[in-house]
Amino acid sequence: MTLEVRVPRELSARVPAEQRGPGLDRDAVRLLVSRGVEVAHHTFVELPGLLRAGDLLVVNTSATLAAAVDGWTGHARVVVHFSTRGDDGRWAVELREPDGFGTTRARAGGPAGREVCLPGGVRLVLEEPLSRRSERLWWARISGPGIPGLLREHGRPIRYAYTERDQPLSVHRTVFALPSADGAGSAEMPSAARPFTARLVAELVSRGVQFAPVTLHTGVASAEAHEPPYPERFAVPEASARLINAARAGGGRVLAVGTTAVRAVESAVDAAGVVRARAGWTDLVVTPERGVRVVDGLLTGLHEPEASHLLMLEAVAGRAAIERAYEAALQGRYLWHEFGDLHLVLP
């Protein structure tokens, strides 16, 4: 799906909402609400009044990693973005060049055998591209101390050029984030959940809205580079599967918080439409042709006009609804990207 729109640079959210003025919290963002082709403008703190008792929010508990680390290849400085850890101990990584402004720009990843030196005596050797479609991400063999310790000591959150400055890791983690025992996590924040605060969660629960936690460790933003999503690790626990099935049986709406939650849940549904406890890797790409089998609605950020995330939105709501919503978001001067405004798609 490609939208015939252009997002002006000034609509990129440069800092988090809580840093835009005194007394603001994470929930001080706007909320565009779609019901079919009808749109309405709200603020995020109004979310409890837009949902109803019996609704179920599926949330991603993956914790964001400090996934960017400075290194050297030969005499050249590079920044390594750690994307995904494989079952064989290798990591999918992206090599970037410092741009002189505190962020990075793309560079060639290969060739195979390229060695990168990192702090603390860690070395990585590029072995093969992650995908035959692109050589941006490479599987790398690691030697030396473990990567989780390296990221904790020397890493920082991945930052893109539209943001104003580096932010602490806490800014890039949601209220639902649960650090895993093995150090796994997401290269980039599951940002649709970022505006939730503990107070807002408590209000939703008091109104009869339930939460079903799932996990999907997302890699670097391949979808924003107009590439199909890569396989990612996910888990849908038994308790969450039961909550989802019960909500559907009782007439409640299953609303995913973020495209990562959609991918996890839709990867755990069987042929009969029942969600099962599952864990492993998913290569599912949700498209209008495949459709959605579990999710009734979606809370998500605003994506670039050619992002493959838009195919998922079209699968949930239909093309006309998404085109109308993005037209309204541009007219209303909504803010894009991980620190930006939100879009709630309701059935």
Side-chain angles (χ1 to χ4, degrees):
M1 178 180 185
T2 301
L3 295 180
E4 298 299 325
V5 298
R6 184 184 67 83
V7 181
R9 292 184 62 185
E10 64 268 21
L11 294 187
S12 294
R14 296 175 57 80
V15 296
E18 64 271 23
Q19 296 178 15
R20 295 177 199 154
L24 297 180
D25 206 339
R26 288 175 172 233
D27 55 13
V29 295
R30 301 169 68 192
L31 180 64
L32 181 72
V33 180
S34 294
R35 292 182 178 87
V37 295
E38 298 297 320
V39 297
H41 302 279
H42 294 270
T43 58
F44 194 76
V45 293
E46 296 176 85
L47 179 65
L50 297 168
L51 304 183
R52 59 189 185 219
D55 284 343
L56 180 72
L57 294 177
V58 182
V59 296
N60 187 0
T61 63
S62 180
T64 311
L65 301 175
V69 180
D70 294 321
W72 294 84
T73 176
H75 297 291
R77 282 189 60 205
V78 294
V79 177
V80 179
H81 286 177
F82 285 85
S83 181
T84 305
R85 187 181 64 186
D87 292 336
D88 59 2
R90 296 187 300 175
W91 278 79
V93 301
E94 179 186 16
L95 299 193
R96 308 274 298 182
E97 287 183 354
D99 63 2
F101 300 99
T103 54
T104 60
R105 54 177 170 256
R107 59 158 289 157
R114 181 186 295 276
E115 184 176 272
V116 181
C117 298
L118 299 173
V122 175
R123 293 175 181 268
L124 60 85
V125 177
L126 304 184
E127 291 193 342
E128 60 181 334
L130 190 65
S131 167
R132 288 178 293 181
R133 298 186 299 267
S134 169
E135 294 195 359
R136 188 170 65 91
L137 288 170
W138 283 69
W139 285 115
R141 183 71 60 184
I142 310 298
S143 63
I147 297 304
L150 171 75
L151 300 185
R152 284 193 299 270
E153 188 169 350
H154 299 286
R156 61 186 179 276
I158 290 174
R159 177 188 160 205
Y160 290 105
Y162 52 77
T163 58
E164 188 173 287
R165 57 182 176 270
D166 284 342
Q167 298 285 350
L169 186 57
S170 59
V171 168
H172 291 264
R173 285 187 168 173
T174 75
V175 71
F176 305 109
L178 295 173
S180 60
D182 63 357
S186 288
E188 298 180 9
M189 173 175 53
S191 55
R194 189 183 188 279
F196 283 90
T197 62
R199 182 202 60 77
L200 190 64
V201 171
E203 183 178 352
L204 286 163
V205 171
S206 73
R207 288 172 175 250
V209 176
Q210 293 183 297
F211 290 83
V214 299
T215 301
L216 187 135
H217 297 311
T218 185
V220 295
S222 58
E224 299 298 353
H226 318 318
E227 301 164 13
Y230 297 103
E232 293 168 320
R233 291 171 61 189
F234 83 105
V236 175
E238 178 66 34
S240 293
R242 290 182 180 179
L243 282 169
I244 294 166
N245 292 328
R248 298 178 70 208
R253 298 177 296 184
V254 176
L255 307 174
V257 178
T259 56
T260 60
V262 176
R263 196 181 198 198
V265 169
E266 294 289 331
S267 297
V269 62
D270 65 17
V274 177
V275 177
R276 304 291 185 184
R278 287 190 182 161
W281 291 84
T282 177
D283 58 1
L284 175 66
V285 180
V286 178
T287 64
E289 292 74 27
R290 188 267 187 190
V292 288
R293 300 169 186 169
V294 180
V295 172
D296 299 306
L298 174 63
L299 178 68
T300 184
L302 294 165
H303 300 286
E304 292 292 342
E306 295 181 4
S308 64
H309 287 311
L310 293 176
L311 291 173
M312 183 182 291
L313 269 65
E314 184 179 351
V316 173
R319 185 181 182 96
I322 300 307
E323 288 179 337
R324 177 68 188 97
Y326 272 66
E327 177 187 345
L330 286 168
Q331 291 175 346
R333 308 292 289 175
Y334 279 68
L335 296 181
W336 256 250
H337 300 303
E338 68 267 30
F339 299 139
D341 297 317
L342 273 290
H343 179 203
L344 176 61
V345 178
L346 291 175

